Amino acid sequence: MGRIIVFTGKGGVGKSSVAASHAVKAAHEGIRTLIVSTDMAHNLGDIFMIHMGNEPVSVFENLDALEIDPDFEMNKRYANILAAFDAVMNTGSDNNDEAENIVAFPGIEELFALIRINDIYESGQYDLIIVDCAPTGETLALLKYPEVMSWYMEKMFPIGKKALRLLRPVSKAIFKLELPDQEAVNDIEKLYMMLINLQKLLKNREVTSIRIVTIPEKMVVDESKRNYMYMNLYNFNVDAVYINRLLPEDAANEFFSVWKTTQAKYTKELEYAFSHLPVYKIKWYETDINGVAGLQRVIDDSLDDKDIFSVRISEENEVYEKTADGYSLSVKMPFADKKEFDLYQSCTDVIIKTGSFKRSIPLPQTLTGCTISGAKFENSVLKVSFIKEG
């Protein structure tokens, strides 16, 4: 079984250099490693000072690097699925530009980047895949997309498939419309299975973990807390935090003195907020961190933990329990604001909304026929109670 570590954080905090440092360390330890960038503003090539394309390139022994172009993956590597979407969404249209048609599903381009990572993982070519993601909001949108899209497909596709089978002969004879054929439908089914596999991989706590890179500044600290809360809402395993760009102790002038005081304040806040997780501190460097030699400085100074690549399994963020009155669902949501919650049930789903994010959690079969009887938010845990109807 391989290992996947995803680095995320606000833009400009240095997560690419932190991720690249881990990749270099792993390769030097004999771990077959691939570092992947899913950020459209790629800079792995700049960090390693090499030219990169649409296939992994060797950096040195045991280390390859790949900058994924979602548009290339979608149009070249998975063109059959793209065509299937076009067939389903644009029957009877004269527009054959699949790349334009597919954008009716926002974010689907990035989905193909994840599918590529999944394919590489399943190939078994690497022991460790390190993913350098786009800034926080885009990372969450990327990671949650397989769950969101598979939810829609699960709700809509069985009905749509039956309707297509019944309407295909009628539409062709009466309305002169060519509905998607069975091959296109089968390709959509294949995508659905890919989404299921992606969900399992991203939420497999024995394989995948998310690591947050931050810096000790108020706005970034606040966003890091929100990031952690949203990752918990979607049941991802966050297992470490990195405080980057800490000024060295010997930085001695009035400007740095004020800055160091501010950094000390927010470093303490981060250490307290994430005291249940390993917290790594990475100092500020006087030059850009690039090239293997530059990354080795980060490793020597801050990443000497021999267990840094270990699987750190946190407790499940979603727990169902049998109670005296029925059932309960507990969802961990650290740093959430009780006033921003919205909770309701829609058929067989519990829908939780906080801030601008919403998640639909399908209820297990055990809770079929149950309705929400109450909810409370205490000690960073949202607990929803259910009772059986009738």
Side-chain angles (χ1 to χ4, degrees):
M1 181 182 291
R3 179 87 165 92
I4 298 176
I5 302 176
V6 179
F7 285 89
T8 181
K10 185 176 174 62
V13 300
K15 60 184 169 46
S16 294
S17 59
V18 173
S21 298
H22 282 72
V24 170
K25 176 180 173 66
H28 282 159
E29 292 180 5
I31 301 171
R32 296 175 303 164
T33 304
L34 173 70
I35 181 167
V36 179
S37 170
T38 62
D39 188 347
M40 288 303 291
H42 297 299
N43 62 356
L44 285 185
D46 296 330
I47 289 175
F48 288 111
M49 296 185 291
I50 58 176
H51 175 73
M52 302 181 67
N54 294 310
E55 294 293 338
V57 297
S58 176
V59 180
F60 60 85
E61 185 178 3
N62 289 322
L63 178 58
D64 291 349
L66 172 64
E67 291 180 339
I68 291 184
D69 179 350
D71 188 63
F72 173 85
E73 299 296 328
M74 182 176 68
N75 285 288
K76 303 299 182 184
R77 208 178 302 278
Y78 304 103
N80 59 323
I81 294 177
L82 188 66
F85 262 102
D86 183 59
V88 170
M89 294 167 54
N90 291 278
T91 53
S93 170
D94 293 330
N95 184 359
N96 294 318
D97 189 346
E98 290 94 342
E100 289 185 6
N101 297 335
I102 200 78
V103 298
F105 289 90
I108 197 168
E109 298 96 334
E110 287 76 14
L111 173 64
F112 287 94
L114 282 180
I115 291 174
R116 175 74 165 133
I117 293 172
N118 185 71
D119 288 347
I120 294 171
Y121 172 81
E122 291 185 345
S123 74
Q125 184 178 353
Y126 300 99
D127 304 313
L128 171 65
I129 299 175
I130 292 176
V131 183
D132 173 29
C133 275
T136 303
E138 296 173 55
T139 298
L140 184 60
L142 177 70
L143 294 178
K144 75 178 185 179
Y145 199 84
E147 176 180 306
V148 172
M149 189 167 181
S150 62
W151 182 87
Y152 278 109
M153 292 181 73
E154 185 175 322
K155 301 297 180 186
M156 300 170 61
F157 191 62
I159 298 173
K161 187 174 179 181
K162 292 175 184 177
L164 285 174
R165 188 171 62 247
L166 293 172
L167 293 176
R168 190 178 289 116
V170 176
S171 66
K172 189 172 183 179
I174 300 176
F175 300 106
K176 308 302 181 186
L177 290 176
E178 191 71 49
L179 291 185
D181 59 19
Q182 190 60 45
E183 185 176 354
V185 173
N186 290 343
D187 282 334
I188 298 297
E189 286 185 323
K190 289 176 186 175
L191 177 61
Y192 176 71
M193 294 310 300
M194 288 180 183
L195 293 172
I196 297 299
N197 289 336
L198 268 175
Q199 281 192 73
K200 290 179 180 178
L201 179 63
L202 293 173
K203 297 189 179 183
N204 184 340
R205 282 169 147 68
E206 295 182 356
V207 174
T208 304
S209 59
I210 315 295
R211 298 190 174 180
I212 297 173
V213 182
T214 186
I215 56 176
E217 296 178 5
K218 178 174 172 49
M219 288 182 62
V220 184
V221 170
D222 291 343
E223 179 163 325
S224 298
K225 290 179 180 179
R226 286 193 298 270
N227 188 7
Y228 183 60
M229 185 267 288
Y230 293 138
M231 291 295 175
N232 275 267
L233 171 62
Y234 282 90
N235 201 21
F236 293 114
N237 179 30
V238 178
D239 72 348
V241 172
Y242 296 77
I243 307 175
N244 197 20
R245 296 180 179 162
L246 289 168
L247 287 170
E249 292 296 324
D250 57 359
N253 65 45
E254 187 175 348
F255 172 75
F256 282 132
S257 177
V258 174
W259 195 359
K260 283 168 64 177
T261 300
T262 301
Q263 283 201 342
K265 173 185 175 181
Y266 290 112
T267 297
K268 186 175 182 180
E269 182 176 338
L270 284 165
E271 288 179 316
Y272 177 78
F274 297 104
S275 59
H276 57 296
L277 295 175
V279 176
Y280 297 92
K281 296 179 182 178
I282 301 174
K283 71 178 187 179
W284 176 85
Y285 291 92
E286 72 283 358
T287 60
D288 289 338
I289 300 299
N290 51 28
V292 174
L295 297 168
Q296 189 63 47
R297 295 180 67 187
V298 178
I299 297 168
D300 294 339
D301 292 339
S302 308
L303 306 179
D304 60 348
D305 182 359
K306 62 182 178 60
D307 296 321
I308 202 165
F309 302 115
S310 299
V311 176
R312 297 171 177 143
I313 303 175
S314 67
E315 296 179 0
E316 285 285 344
N317 298 336
E318 297 172 13
V319 179
Y320 290 95
E321 293 178 302
K322 181 79 171 69
T323 65
D325 301 321
Y327 296 89
S328 70
L329 165 63
S330 298
V331 181
K332 290 185 179 179
M333 297 185 65
F335 311 123
D337 186 343
K338 185 176 182 179
K339 297 176 183 177
E340 292 187 354
F341 271 121
D342 192 9
L343 171 72
Y344 56 96
Q345 185 172 355
S346 176
C347 298
T348 58
D349 298 297
V350 170
I351 299 173
I352 302 172
K353 185 176 181 182
T354 177
S356 59
F357 286 89
K358 180 177 72 173
R359 184 181 177 211
S360 298
I361 303 178
L363 295 176
Q365 276 193 321
T366 309
L367 272 64
T368 301
C370 291
T371 57
I372 294 176
S373 60
K376 61 181 179 180
F377 183 69
E378 293 179 346
N379 301 319
S380 300
V381 177
L382 174 65
K383 192 164 187 176
V384 185
S385 301
F386 301 86
I387 57 170
K388 205 85 169 178
E389 289 184 322

